[in-house]
Amino acid sequence: MSNLKALKGNVVFTPSFGEYKIVKNGYVVFEGKNVVGTFESLPEEYSAAEVVDHGDKLIIPGFVDLHLHAPQFANRGLGIDKELLEWLKVYTFPEESKYQDIDFAKKAYQNFVYELWKHGTTRSVVFATLHNESTILLMDLMDKVGLGALVGKVNMDRNCPDFYIEDTQKSIEDTESFIKATIDKYENIKPIITPRFVPTCTGELMEGLGELARKYSVKVQSHLSENRGEVEWVKELHPECSSYAGVYEKYGLFGGDVPTVMAHCVWNTAEEMELMAKNKVFVAHSPYSNLNISSGIAPVREFITKGIPVGLATDISGGHDVSMASVIAVSAQVSNMRWVYVDENYKPLNTPELFYLATKGGGEFFGKVGSFESGYEFDALVIDDSSLADVNERSIEERLQRYIYIGDDRNIVERYVAGVKLEEPKF
């Protein structure tokens, strides 16, 4: 077979929610961009494969970050004593407005893309800014490094500062131009329609974006029920709709024929959850952000029980940490606290469940991504956890958990996206 390759090591992935598949001292074989399979020993039919032996290292799927804001990268760790709406006004909108300057954007986005590579985020769903030119620059940089992503030009035409707002029709026209310029430009980077959230988008704008989503078969990302003040504001703005989710639904921006991911979903009603399950709207669970700007603790287990797809997210810069491994750890912590303080019948999420959400769970928004099952795109990280070892012999499960909690980017020695090994970025 042509272009047949294999990595040898301790292969760990989660084909189903909460269940590890471990192939100790085994092989993951891939051809081109797709996984062929995992094996305890290399089958004769694949004996011609080029094998890279990683010894006792861990081989895991690449991490998927289902929601983050690239232009907010420089603001990490700032303003976390404020709630959402004040935080947007004081920190976020002023920072994002700077990206009309393409030279500024290039320097900032190079730093952002390098950090994604460094921390093993092989796929991401990204908000950019209102500006087409710098948003396409971001996509160019991510493509140059070899990362996979869905990247959105943000839309906002109301309740924004004068220095950072769009005319409604121009916003729609610019979004269509952005889609046309990027939809076929890259292999692993695609545009995504991005109304910031209901309070900053008029009905006319959302209707136009919904039409573009259907016309070009482009996915959608936005925010939903993040903060109690935001939820009440949406009720005032749209009394004709029975819920926050219902506003997106009204304008064709809520799943179904238009695959959609909504960040946060902390305060969703039963009615909204029913609609999300019906339309298969993804939740981007963003625990660091929800803690930092006092939003709350999302009912992730309830979403999963109801059949709502879920992935994990850093939500830079509401969240302060780019590492998806760290997001797994804090997701477990907030899940424990939901059980302790909110609902004693709530079963906390465990490590294999959260590892699934950080890989295959979020990866499903991209298609067959986030697993080593046959036919999935080969996104992978090779983890050298020898620096974390102690005097005891540890199981593969324990070693993975320890890497998640106390490891860092220095433990990642190789990264792959769609079968291609990624080299360190040189800008």
Side-chain angles (χ1 to χ4, degrees):
M1 290 185 179
S2 62
N3 205 22
L4 190 65
K5 300 180 181 180
L7 301 187
K8 185 176 186 294
N10 296 305
V11 180
V12 189
F13 60 109
T14 45
S16 57
F17 178 65
E19 293 186 15
Y20 287 130
K21 180 172 182 180
I22 296 173
V23 188
K24 191 172 183 179
N25 297 319
Y27 299 80
V28 54
V29 178
F30 59 103
E31 185 174 19
K33 71 177 185 178
N34 292 329
V35 175
V36 173
T38 56
F39 308 95
E40 293 182 357
S41 59
L42 194 63
E44 178 63 29
E45 61 188 300
Y46 304 129
S47 60
E50 176 188 339
V51 178
V52 180
D53 189 344
H54 287 289
D56 195 41
K57 297 180 179 66
L58 305 175
I59 302 171
I60 65 174
F63 289 126
V64 179
D65 188 340
L66 214 50
H67 174 71
L68 72 167
H69 297 257
Q72 295 177 23
F73 179 76
N75 275 358
R76 288 171 304 147
L78 299 177
I80 56 176
D81 54 348
K82 299 183 183 300
E83 289 192 43
L84 172 65
L85 300 179
E86 182 68 11
W87 175 80
L88 288 170
K89 176 182 176 182
V90 175
Y91 284 96
T92 301
F93 293 156
E95 182 66 21
E96 291 190 12
S97 69
K98 297 175 184 177
Y99 285 74
Q100 63 185 328
D101 180 338
I102 199 70
D103 293 327
F104 176 91
K106 184 176 182 179
K107 293 175 184 177
Y109 281 152
Q110 285 176 344
N111 293 337
F112 167 76
V113 172
Y114 184 86
E115 289 296 310
L116 288 186
W117 172 88
K118 185 171 78 170
H119 288 280
T121 301
T122 52
R123 307 268 178 160
S124 54
V125 184
V126 183
F127 274 59
T129 65
L130 306 184
H131 315 103
N132 277 15
E133 185 179 6
S134 60
T135 301
I136 294 172
L137 169 66
L138 170 60
M139 298 169 86
D140 289 342
L141 292 170
M142 298 184 84
D143 181 66
K144 179 180 178 180
V145 172
L147 298 173
L150 295 163
V151 179
K153 169 244 180 297
V154 173
N155 296 273
M156 314 190 314
D157 69 337
R158 67 174 175 181
N159 296 320
C160 301
D162 292 342
F163 61 82
Y164 194 55
I165 193 170
E166 299 173 292
D167 170 78
T168 303
Q169 190 57 39
K170 187 175 187 302
S171 180
I172 295 169
E173 291 171 357
D174 283 355
T175 300
E176 184 165 22
S177 296
F178 166 69
I179 293 169
K180 287 180 177 179
T182 59
I183 195 165
D184 295 318
K185 185 177 182 181
Y186 318 95
E187 181 70 23
N188 297 313
I189 311 284
K190 297 297 177 184
I192 185 168
I193 287 175
T194 308
R196 183 175 213 107
F197 66 155
V198 167
T200 60
C201 297
T202 62
E204 182 183 354
L205 176 56
M206 287 188 282
E207 183 175 11
L209 296 177
E211 290 173 356
L212 291 177
R214 292 184 293 276
K215 179 178 179 180
Y216 293 99
S217 298
V218 177
K219 296 176 182 179
V220 170
Q221 64 174 341
S222 195
H223 300 85
L224 177 64
S225 301
E226 178 178 0
N227 172 276
R228 285 177 290 190
E230 167 208 5
V231 172
E232 290 304 312
W233 193 11
V234 171
K235 288 180 182 179
E236 295 172 6
L237 291 169
H238 290 275
E240 79 282 6
C241 294
S242 61
S243 69
Y244 194 159
V247 182
Y248 291 116
E249 170 78 356
K250 176 180 178 180
Y251 296 109
L253 296 167
F254 206 67
D257 294 336
V258 179
T260 300
V261 58
M262 289 285 164
H264 305 294
C265 302
V266 176
W267 299 101
N268 286 8
T269 64
E271 174 190 339
E272 288 177 315
M273 290 188 198
E274 182 178 348
L275 185 59
M276 294 170 76
K278 175 186 174 184
N279 291 358
K280 295 301 177 186
V281 172
F282 278 71
V283 172
H285 176 48
S286 312
Y288 271 131
S289 177
N290 295 339
L291 291 170
N292 287 340
I293 53 179
S294 305
S295 295
I297 303 174
V300 176
R301 174 77 68 185
E302 188 174 356
F303 292 144
I304 294 166
T305 301
K306 291 180 181 296
I308 299 168
V310 179
L312 302 185
T314 60
D315 189 29
I316 298 298
S317 71
H320 58 276
D321 196 331
V322 182
S323 167
M324 288 300 297
S326 294
V327 171
I328 294 174
V330 74
S331 294
Q333 293 163 352
V334 298
S335 179
N336 291 341
M337 292 303 98
R338 186 171 181 91
W339 169 63
V340 171
Y341 289 109
V342 180
D343 182 359
E344 63 182 11
N345 296 314
Y346 185 88
K347 182 181 178 183
L349 296 158
N350 61 36
T351 304
E353 291 172 333
L354 289 163
F355 185 74
Y356 173 92
L357 298 183
T359 54
K360 187 177 178 180
E364 287 183 339
F365 193 64
F366 288 85
K368 288 191 169 184
V369 168
S371 181
F372 293 147
E373 297 162 76
S374 178
Y376 274 66
E377 295 190 49
F378 184 67
D379 292 7
L381 305 176
V382 179
I383 308 296
D384 181 356
D385 64 330
S386 59
S387 65
L388 309 176
D390 58 38
V391 296
N392 302 292
E393 184 176 349
R394 301 296 183 185
S395 68
I396 301 300
E397 295 94 330
E398 289 173 328
R399 289 171 57 188
L400 177 59
Q401 185 177 55
R402 182 170 55 190
Y403 158 69
I404 288 168
Y405 277 84
I406 67 171
D408 59 35
D409 60 274
R410 293 170 295 182
N411 299 109
I412 306 174
V413 295
E414 287 189 0
R415 303 151 178 86
Y416 291 80
V417 173
V420 177
K421 182 180 175 182
L422 307 187
E423 302 300 332
E424 183 172 359
K426 302 294 183 184
F427 296 118

